[in-house]
Amino acid sequence: MPTRPVVLGVETSCDETSVAVLDGDNRILGHVILSQDEHKVFGGVVPELAARAHLQKIDAVAREALAEARVGMDEIDLFGVTAGPGLIGALLVGVCWSKAVAYALGRPLVAVHHMEAHLFGPSLEDAEAHPPFIGLLVSGGHTLLLHAREWGHYRLLGRTRDDAAGEAFDKVAKLLGLAYPGGPEIERLAREGDPTRHRLPRPMLRGGQSPADADYYDFSFSGLKTAVVELTRRVEGEGALGVERAHIAAGFQAAAVDVLASKTMRAVEETGCERVLLGGGVSANGPLRDELRRRLGRHGRLFHASPRLSLDNGAMVARTARFRYDVGQTSPPETTAAPDLPFPGLVNGMS
Ligand code: KG4
Ligand code: ZN
């Protein structure tokens, strides 16, 4: 087995079918991301439709990525695939496809954790984006705050008690009549609004005054969402939703960004680590990036991927598979998808 393997990464955990090919130096040779638009009319991802669409597209997406990379399937040395967390039917398509191909070619396979893959996203574009860092992972299904001392060794500091950050953006967008996915829509609409016009709650910001308190680093977005529902209903009753929509979007985004940035800065202060890495779909949010950069000041560093590598993609999966392979971990043939796969390498035992 070569020490600098060519890696093919597969991502099918939610509504993106994506395959990437990385060379032995982790450079992206080919990368295709197909976003399913089957779900748009439903205002959210329909699991059954997602699985079916992955099944229909995975072969073509892989072929296109290989063609772009000018690499033949038999030249792939290592396969990586998201095995969880995610939608079971969707995950199974990627896992079964990758197992079948890897097995047929006699190549090793690495089952990858989707959220660890988001941590690796920024490193594909910036060689400096490596531990130590405080990682804020914000996606449609997860909100995690962790301290990475080195790759594969993570201290989990906090997570959401209810909705994920991206889920809150999606739900508020739906409420305001915006399309799915809601994050970019909210960000766009909020530009036209005044974030101070409606002061919305900052859940769990006052709760927990020291790192010893259970909720010092945890997040909660359901209360904020409920406050937006109540505000929207009141404004609608007054017949003013048309003029207030942008202000509501701006107020919501400001509250979500404030909570995310404040908890992250708590971790920066406690650990003394002034390097912050932002990963997951919500890391594409401009105001979140700006606020973190502002609070980190001149001494701190903020790492995040470009929009293409912030959203779900096969390149981050291939990169994570390469890391796991380099530390001697490959997955046995009986590997399967796990919708609630525990985060790997947590040194404080939470999952
Ligand atoms: O990581 P991701 O692509 O998929 C999951 O692993 O869930 O994240 C998708 C989430 C969605 O909830 C979407 O609304 C959110 O990321 N998102 C954003 C933005 N772009 C995507 N949220 C806020 N602002 C954005 N610009
Ligand atoms: Zn994701």
Side-chain angles (χ1 to χ4, degrees), residues 169 183-184 186-191 195 249-250 252-258 260-261 278 282-295 302:
F169 272 87
I186 294 273
E187 184 176 351
R188 210 169 298 134
L189 183 61
R191 280 187 210 123
F252 161 74
Q253 180 174 255
V257 165
D258 190 13
L260 291 168
L278 201 49
V282 184
S283 74
N285 186 270
L288 176 60
R289 293 172 172 186
D290 294 345
E291 185 61 17
L292 278 170
R293 210 172 274 123
R294 190 183 68 74
R295 293 199 199 188
L302 179 70

Side-chain angles (χ1 to χ4, degrees), residues 190-203:
R191 280 187 210 123
E192 297 157 30
D194 171 6
T196 62
R197 183 169 164 92
H198 301 291
R199 172 88 190 165
L200 287 158
R202 270 76 172 146

Side-chain angles (χ1 to χ4, degrees), residues 269-311:
E269 273 146 37
E270 192 222 338
T271 60
C273 176
E274 293 184 301
R275 295 159 56 83
V276 172
L277 183 139
L278 201 49
V282 184
S283 74
N285 186 270
L288 176 60
R289 293 172 172 186
D290 294 345
E291 185 61 17
L292 278 170
R293 210 172 274 123
R294 190 183 68 74
R295 293 199 199 188
L296 279 165
R298 271 188 296 133
H299 300 297
R301 287 280 311 262
L302 179 70
F303 302 102
H304 59 74
S306 64
R308 186 169 159 82
L309 293 178
S310 298
L311 301 175

